[in-house]
Amino acid sequence: MTTVNSVENHTTIFHIAAGLVCLWLSYRLFVFLRFFRPKSEHSLRSVAILVLGDIGRSPRMMYHAESFAENGFMTYVIGYGGSKPIPALERLPKVELRYLSEPPAILRSLPFVLLAPFKIIHQVTSILRELLIHAGEPPEYILVQNPPSIPTLAIVWLVGKIRGSKVIIDWHNLGYSILELKLPKTHLYVKIAKWFEATFGKVAYAHLFVTEAMRDFLVKEWNLVGEKVVLHDRPPKHFHRCSAQEIHDLFTKLQTPFSQYKSLQNFLPESTTPFSTPLTDRKPSSESSTATSPIPDLDPISATAPTYENIQPPRLRPDRPALVVSSTSWTPDEDFGILLDALKQYEQRARELSEANNGKKLPKILMAVTGKGPQRDEYMKEINRLQAEWHWVRCISLWLEAEDYPIFLGSADLGVSLHSSSSGRDLPMKVVDMFGCGLPVCALNFECLPELVKDGRNGLVFNNSEELVKQFELLLTSFPSSERLDALRTSLYHATRSLEVSQSSSNEQWCSWDENWNRRLKPIILRGIRV
Ligand SMILES: Nc1nc2c(ncn2[C@@H]2O[C@H](COP(=O)(O)OP(=O)(O)O[C@H]3O[C@H](CO)[C@@H](O)[C@H](O)[C@@H]3O)[C@@H](O)[C@H]2O)c(=O)[nH]1
């Protein structure tokens, strides 16, 4: 009896196991058949946007997603999590953010040689899962950012071939040129990377380029096949120069994070929330609005505190430091050593002028570097060591939420770009952001910078730290009423409103991201669709 029971139990277990295996096989077959679905069966008006990085730190791809969704496309954004994306992506109903998973924690403790193959397999399978299964019907378009090229260009090439999705490659830069920053040009890895990028990047439905220089180079070198469109970075419409009220609101919000920087203690002018911030204050109407000193000891709960009615709108306070800003991903193609040297020299120059007491004076500089990235900690450690001795300069690093970032730029007095381009063929998007916020820029010179910055017209161009510190001195002497800075700001205002920005044949007008996208990309993606 016991033997019969045991045989029955085994049979039942076998049936359950067989059932599960059949179920699993059917699922694999289903996935397999979906994969080989006829090419014509993709869903019109859908796009999968692939970013092999933190979606929230990929502004250009987020702007693409917003534009596709606003043009009626179901938009899947596939990439990694980390930073909060721009508000539009959370607001628009047609956008779905699909986050790729990181490899399991247990694998992350493996040594790099063992981890690397696992990481690649994990990455490839999770991208395929998103493109083949979760995106539902095959998307009409797959838009992929390059770099990185490996493995994404090969994956989208394969998926495009099998499922009929039209591949659009957005050439931000050249992947192999970034590898050349670390390895010699003749290194085997560089050769493989270049071959991979040229092979899988050659044919696409459309190629988008961030510069004309990039288009000309790739068309000539790799003989690209497909539509070719230069889509310069442009700022979103809502980027603007900020009013004193907006600056006041932002710096009131930043009061808590700012109070955590030890280096800022005793550096910024005193302020009392919500009446004043290091950059702004409100004068009670009883006091003259032309008085220049900050409000001294406004205690909101004291009997002498001004009442709501007699508080005036905020104004920029005359004793504020000059707010200089640089934004970055802290990657090796930006040499922050140049900025550090310039700040060192500025500190010395400002001290000399103050001691000479001859009427010429430089203001304090609050240098804010926004952004996250690999070299941040190393540079900040060095900066903190140096600034322990400084009186005229402070440098802080911060990350701002997407909605605060343009307000911060719109509150600043001067921008700095240290972008030097590994390929010599991409442009600093930060400068585009700054121009959108009416912020004049000092930009490090490199090959194709004149496609964006015209020395003396919309910014100043420098080649080394000595030239940068001279530009600081030129623009900031007698700050906050600096004629040179005002003149550059006015000239930038005109350049971004009336004049063409490109030195090239296209005579392109300055405009917003939307206007540019609708003018250049929309006709190509809506081709063949009746609107
Ligand atoms: N939300 C937020 N965004 C920030 C912050 N700081 C920087 N950013 C974002 O980070 C960008 C700067 O990152 P980089 O990686 O330094 O970009 P880039 O050199 O200026 O431009 C490169 O990337 C662009 C596309 O992402 C390319 O189009 C361009 O050609 C170039 O390759 C800024 O434009 C901004 O969108 C911050 O505090 N908060």
Side-chain angles (χ1 to χ4, degrees):
M1 193 63 183
T2 329
T3 325
V4 174
N5 265 348
S6 137
V7 168
E8 270 177 3
N9 279 347
H10 277 109
T11 314
T12 314
I13 290 170
F14 174 76
H15 279 142
I16 292 173
L20 285 174
V21 169
C22 284
L23 213 62
W24 185 78
L25 283 174
S26 320
Y27 170 70
R28 302 313 301 182
L29 188 67
F30 169 73
V31 170
F32 186 72
L33 290 177
R34 280 175 74 93
F35 190 79
F36 286 102
R37 198 198 322 251
K39 285 182 177 186
S40 55
E41 252 192 62
H42 54 243
S43 87
L44 282 181
R45 297 239 172 159
S46 65
V47 60
I49 297 182
L50 183 58
V51 185
L52 216 58
D54 179 349
I55 296 175
R57 281 170 57 203
S58 306
R60 184 170 159 104
M61 301 313 276
M62 292 193 285
Y63 301 160
H64 274 302
E66 185 179 354
S67 298
F68 268 106
E70 277 180 344
N71 278 284
F73 278 75
M74 186 59 217
T75 304
Y76 302 94
V77 188
I78 304 166
Y80 290 98
S83 314
K84 216 169 143 220
I86 53 172
L89 297 197
E90 295 179 324
R91 176 177 41 83
L92 288 166
K94 287 204 172 241
V95 175
E96 201 175 307
L97 297 168
R98 307 279 329 171
Y99 290 110
L100 297 169
S101 61
E102 296 285 352
I106 190 159
L107 290 182
R108 273 178 257 149
S109 52
L110 290 175
F112 180 75
V113 273
L114 294 177
L115 175 65
F118 277 116
K119 229 180 142 175
I120 292 173
I121 293 168
H122 183 270
Q123 199 167 57
V124 172
T125 50
S126 46
I127 296 172
L128 282 174
R129 196 182 315 123
E130 289 302 333
L131 286 177
L132 299 174
I133 304 171
H134 291 141
E137 299 293 318
E140 182 183 1
Y141 292 102
I142 301 176
L143 170 66
V144 62
Q145 166 183 335
N146 184 77
S149 327
I150 303 172
T152 38
L153 285 188
I155 296 177
V156 297
W157 173 83
L158 184 71
V159 174
K161 276 255 169 286
I162 295 170
R163 308 190 84 198
S165 300
K166 295 175 208 147
V167 172
I168 304 176
I169 303 177
D170 195 16
W171 295 93
H172 294 195
N173 199 354
L174 299 173
Y176 76 87
S177 72
I178 297 175
L179 204 56
E180 279 174 357
L181 294 176
K182 290 184 218 149
L183 301 171
K185 279 187 177 143
T186 49
H187 196 285
L188 180 66
Y189 288 178
V190 175
K191 286 185 183 165
I192 293 174
K194 193 169 179 179
W195 170 85
F196 188 97
E197 202 166 2
T199 305
F200 294 105
K202 183 179 161 94
V203 182
Y205 173 74
H207 301 270
L208 313 180
F209 308 94
V210 289
T211 59
E212 299 189 347
M214 177 90 75
R215 177 199 56 195
D216 296 346
F217 175 77
L218 287 181
V219 167
K220 186 164 161 264
E221 290 292 308
W222 293 350
N223 202 11
L224 299 185
V225 178
E227 198 79 45
K228 295 157 202 86
V229 182
V230 175
L231 188 77
H232 282 120
D233 280 321
R234 289 289 175 263
K237 243 192 212 110
H238 66 277
F239 280 34
H240 63 279
R241 177 104 203 117
C242 292
S243 64
Q245 180 70 60
E246 288 170 301
I247 300 172
H248 184 81
D249 293 344
L250 176 66
F251 278 80
T252 302
K253 187 173 163 186
L254 292 178
Q255 203 83 310
T256 313
F258 268 43
S259 64
Q260 282 155 13
Y261 293 101
K262 274 202 207 121
S263 60
L264 294 185
Q265 282 165 16
N266 305 322
F267 177 78
L268 297 174
E270 270 185 31
S271 56
T272 316
T273 321
F275 301 104
S276 56
T277 73
L279 300 191
T280 54
D281 62 15
R282 295 171 185 271
K283 283 261 163 230
S285 53
S286 54
E287 288 185 35
S288 157
S289 59
T290 54
T292 53
S293 67
I295 296 175
D297 293 313
L298 272 188
D299 178 355
I301 52 164
S302 82
T304 55
T307 59
Y308 184 76
E309 300 83 51
N310 64 14
I311 293 291
Q312 290 204 335
R315 57 163 199 171
L316 286 173
R317 52 196 289 177
D319 63 341
R320 68 187 190 276
L323 178 61
V324 183
V325 61
S326 185
S327 77
T328 181
S329 294
W330 292 102
T331 43
D333 57 348
E334 299 207 353
D335 182 359
F336 268 81
I338 299 179
L339 179 64
L340 244 176
D341 273 352
L343 293 177
K344 247 191 263 179
Q345 293 171 49
Y346 183 92
E347 165 73 24
Q348 198 178 335
R349 187 75 187 121
R351 186 173 301 190
E352 279 165 13
L353 286 176
S354 160
E355 283 164 7
N357 205 11
N358 60 6
K360 198 176 167 195
K361 205 166 178 285
L362 284 171
K364 285 182 172 178
I365 284 185
L366 173 58
M367 178 78 229
V369 185
T370 73
K372 295 180 194 173
Q375 298 195 324
R376 179 191 168 276
D377 291 349
E378 193 186 315
Y379 274 115
M380 285 317 294
K381 212 169 136 191
E382 174 64 2
I383 288 169
N384 284 331
R385 191 184 62 79
L386 288 169
Q387 67 184 354
E389 308 288 317
W390 290 351
H391 173 76
W392 294 92
V393 180
R394 286 294 180 276
C395 180
I396 57 167
S397 132
L398 70 168
W399 172 257
L400 296 143
E401 292 301 330
E403 58 268 36
D404 293 337
Y405 171 68
I407 309 289
F408 195 85
L409 295 188
S411 307
D413 299 295
L414 185 63
V416 174
S417 166
L418 295 160
H419 181 97
S420 64
S421 184
S422 57
S423 63
R425 292 175 180 90
D426 73 335
L427 283 167
M429 187 175 198
K430 62 193 106 285
V431 172
V432 172
D433 300 339
M434 290 167 185
F435 284 176
C437 296
L439 181 63
V441 173
C442 298
L444 178 64
N445 200 9
F446 68 93
E447 239 168 306
C448 74
L449 187 70
E451 242 186 82
L452 180 65
V453 181
K454 312 276 180 292
D455 196 21
R457 257 172 63 198
N458 56 5
L460 298 181
V461 176
F462 63 90
N463 291 288
N464 50 44
S465 59
E466 286 75 24
E467 287 181 14
L468 177 59
V469 81
K470 277 197 189 121
Q471 292 174 359
F472 282 166
E473 195 172 335
L474 177 82
L475 296 172
L476 297 178
T477 300
S478 76
F479 179 88
S481 50
S482 158
E483 269 175 34
R484 300 302 287 260
L485 187 58
D486 290 346
L488 192 59
R489 198 178 292 129
T490 309
S491 163
L492 167 66
Y493 177 84
H494 291 302
T496 51
R497 258 147 202 84
S498 52
L499 304 174
E500 87 279 5
V501 278
S502 177
Q503 277 189 339
S504 63
S505 48
S506 65
N507 261 0
E508 191 180 320
Q509 300 281 312
W510 184 261
C511 56
S512 70
W513 169 271
D514 287 353
E515 288 161 340
N516 202 28
W517 199 91
N518 288 336
R519 197 175 298 154
R520 290 173 187 273
L521 194 54
K522 189 172 166 178
I524 291 167
I525 60 154
L526 292 186
R527 189 178 292 159
I529 297 180
R530 246 183 280 139
V531 279

